[in-house]
Amino acid sequence: YKLTQPRSVSVALGQTALIACDGSNIGAKSVHWYQQRPGQAPLLVIYDSINRPSGIPERFSGSNSGNTATMTISRAEDGDEADYYCQVWDSNTWLFGGGTMLTVL
Amino acid sequence: EVQLVESGGGSVRPGGSRRLSCAVSGLAFSNHEFNWVRQAPGKGLEWISSISSTGGNIYYADSVKGRFTVSRDNAQRSLYLQMSRLRTEDTGVYYCVTGSPPTTVWGLEYWGQGTLIAVSS
């Protein structure tokens, strides 16, 4: 099983960023998303495809259907500039997407 | 506050061995599955091993199977990764990771700060 993410996404300050994660019938899986800023450990921002952990702003949301899971960041801020990874559990392994570098312009 | 603190990183020669440890506090250690996730310099995240709460179920990525061994000591609230026959491609930051069970639903919420392994001659 493989997860495919765009290598980079750009978004204007205050606009909406969409980061896709493609996988075969991923809509049937629980997808998690992580944010990683330079020099820091990853931070869980979306779990079970659509839910936000405590402390994560409502600007972060997720959806999952068919072969694509998507994380949406509304009203993008400078602090959202980071690498983002999707993740699923499949065949007794955790799989990560290759990561997407989000640039806030 | 949940804390996961890795130790044991450093420089190792190719073919050598190293043992990583992860000391855990702030959660019911024996109820949690734990994972090791690594990140090569400038690269993405790579899961390498999981161990269930009892230690009865253990899984490895193909890249480390047969060379790495994960274990846990519930009494000591510690997780371990014994690494042998190290290769240059094993270089990276190694994270100790867990989450609320079942992590397949709740994701991996708790990460350590990571420990760096550098494999080089």
Side-chain angles (χ1 to χ4, degrees), chain A residues 30 32 34 36 48 87 94, chain B residues 35 39 44 103-106 108:
Chain A
S30 181
H32 313 301
Y34 301 86
Q36 187 179 32
D48 198 17
Q87 179 201 38
W94 280 113
Chain B
N35 301 269
Q39 187 168 35
T103 56
T104 50
V105 173
W106 295 96
L108 301 177

Side-chain angles (χ1 to χ4, degrees), chain B residues 37-114:
Chain B
V37 174
R38 71 182 178 186
Q39 187 168 35
K43 302 296 184 182
L45 301 173
E46 180 190 13
W47 169 85
I48 57 173
S49 185
S50 289
I51 183 168
S52 63
S53 57
T54 63
N57 291 307
I58 291 175
Y59 306 106
Y60 298 100
D62 288 344
S63 58
V64 305
K65 200 173 294 182
R67 300 188 300 122
F68 290 11
T69 301
V70 65
S71 61
R72 62 190 292 160
D73 184 332
N74 285 356
Q76 296 295 320
R77 303 174 59 83
S78 292
L79 177 73
Y80 305 101
L81 185 68
Q82 178 67 46
M83 304 183 293
S84 60
R85 289 185 280 147
L86 283 161
R87 306 167 179 167
T88 55
E89 55 263 37
D90 294 320
T91 294
V93 175
Y94 285 69
Y95 294 101
C96 171
V97 191
T98 190
S100 299
T103 56
T104 50
V105 173
W106 295 96
L108 301 177
E109 182 177 5
Y110 306 114
W111 295 66
Q113 84 287 351

